[in-house]
Amino acid sequence: MAAAPFLEVDDIEATYEDVILALRGVSLRVEEGAIVALLGANGAGKTTTLKAISNLLASERGALTRGSVIWKGRSTARLDPAELVARGIVQVLEGRRVFPQLTVEENLLTGGYLRRPSRAEVGNDLARIYTWFPRLKEKRRIRAGLTSGGEQQMIAIGRALMTRPTLVLLDEPSMGLAPIIVQEIFEIIRTLNEDEGVSFLLAEQNAALVLRYADHAYVLETGRLAAAGTAADLAAQGVEALYLGDAP
Ligand code: ATP
């Protein structure tokens, strides 16, 4: 018997305020251990897709009005975000929302509380985060609001990793960051994927970059799937031009 797909999004439609149709029939899958890119211009529906997967639409007066999200063979429709986290899916929201007054380490600790871990487990988890993000170890006693944008993105990812996820939904990790920092963050994502088997669904506008790290990619255009395939195929087709609407 074939294994159930890890994450399967089938023909979803999402609306905001009952009237704004943000997604129209989007389907995608993430296999276990994969890095999948979700590409598209501003407003194409990337964030909405991630929020539909992790059941965060209701908090934005949005709703999934058609289709299904199946995670490890089970519909996520009735699972609240905390239950999803307990089952291994965690979302890192766009815009690196750190608690500026808390230290770097305190920010990381807020990611772990859902599991009610023991003190030893927390120590272990922190040590693991610091091996992937040595910069965060150096700055662990500094208030997060005083760290750089790249470090805040690392804090946001590190905090998500404290939940021990198997799938991370990451929204625009490169946004507003210098290319050298973005590269550092993507290298860490690759390490987490290769060494720890963490899967990623990465929403990104920076197609050229993310296609170098992803296995598969989907391209959204005004809420619809405009293209899908292996990252290598889409890169060869010059997909960046495609989703900006100026392909031949
Ligand atoms: P961005 O890179 O700007 O985040 P995106 O590809 O993630 O773009 P979404 O944020 O998913 O796109 O937006 C898809 C559509 O839904 C857009 O037309 C947007 O204006 C609309 N939209 C998003 N959030 C809301 C909301 N809270 N209320 C109403 N409309 C929304």
Side-chain angles (χ1 to χ4, degrees), residues 16 20 22 41-48 60 94 172 205:
Y16 290 104
I20 302 162
N42 248 338
K46 303 179 299 295
T47 300
T48 305
E60 308 251 354
E94 192 172 2
E172 304 256 8
Q205 287 194 47

Side-chain angles (χ1 to χ4, degrees), residues 42-128:
N42 248 338
K46 303 179 299 295
T47 300
T48 305
T49 303
L50 298 189
K51 288 188 169 169
I53 294 168
S54 52
N55 272 344
L56 290 172
L57 285 177
S59 59
E60 308 251 354
R61 299 171 56 84
L64 198 64
T65 44
R66 199 181 74 204
S68 61
V69 178
I70 307 291
W71 167 239
K72 293 184 175 173
R74 251 185 91 167
S75 166
T76 61
R78 288 175 198 282
L79 299 173
D80 67 32
E83 289 171 314
L84 277 171
V85 166
R87 287 173 163 76
I89 300 187
V90 67
Q91 178 160 356
V92 180
L93 296 166
E94 192 172 2
R96 317 187 273 277
R97 297 172 202 198
V98 300
F99 299 105
Q101 302 297 335
L102 300 184
T103 65
V104 168
E105 186 154 297
E106 286 164 346
N107 267 275
L108 293 174
L109 290 172
T110 64
Y113 79 98
L114 274 174
R115 288 188 298 112
R116 298 178 192 278
S118 68
R119 193 182 281 239
E121 283 176 316
V122 170
N124 246 329
D125 285 351
L126 271 179
R128 282 154 53 89

Side-chain angles (χ1 to χ4, degrees), residues 3-8 29-34 70-73 166-167 197 199:
F6 213 41
L7 177 75
E8 189 150 44
R29 27 193 310 153
V30 179
E31 303 289 346
E32 185 163 10
I70 307 291
W71 167 239
K72 293 184 175 173
T166 44
L167 173 63
S199 307

Side-chain angles (χ1 to χ4, degrees), residues 6-7 29-37 71-72 88-90 161 164-170 189-202 215:
F6 213 41
L7 177 75
R29 27 193 310 153
V30 179
E31 303 289 346
E32 185 163 10
I35 298 180
V36 175
W71 167 239
K72 293 184 175 173
I89 300 187
V90 67
L161 293 170
R164 299 193 187 173
T166 44
L167 173 63
V168 179
L169 311 175
L170 195 48
I189 289 170
R190 180 180 275 163
T191 303
L192 288 163
N193 175 256
E194 289 178 354
D195 296 357
E196 304 290 318
V198 180
S199 307
F200 287 89
L201 179 57
L202 300 170
D215 306 302

Side-chain angles (χ1 to χ4, degrees), residues 101-161:
Q101 302 297 335
L102 300 184
T103 65
V104 168
E105 186 154 297
E106 286 164 346
N107 267 275
L108 293 174
L109 290 172
T110 64
Y113 79 98
L114 274 174
R115 288 188 298 112
R116 298 178 192 278
S118 68
R119 193 182 281 239
E121 283 176 316
V122 170
N124 246 329
D125 285 351
L126 271 179
R128 282 154 53 89
I129 304 291
Y130 289 145
T131 59
W132 299 314
F133 299 99
R135 274 167 182 261
L136 298 188
K137 184 173 187 183
E138 278 166 33
K139 303 216 166 166
R140 64 190 185 281
R141 311 246 175 269
I142 308 253
R143 270 192 281 147
L146 299 176
T147 63
S148 70
E151 286 158 355
Q152 290 184 20
Q153 182 63 270
M154 292 177 193
I155 294 169
I157 298 171
R159 186 171 59 195
L161 293 170

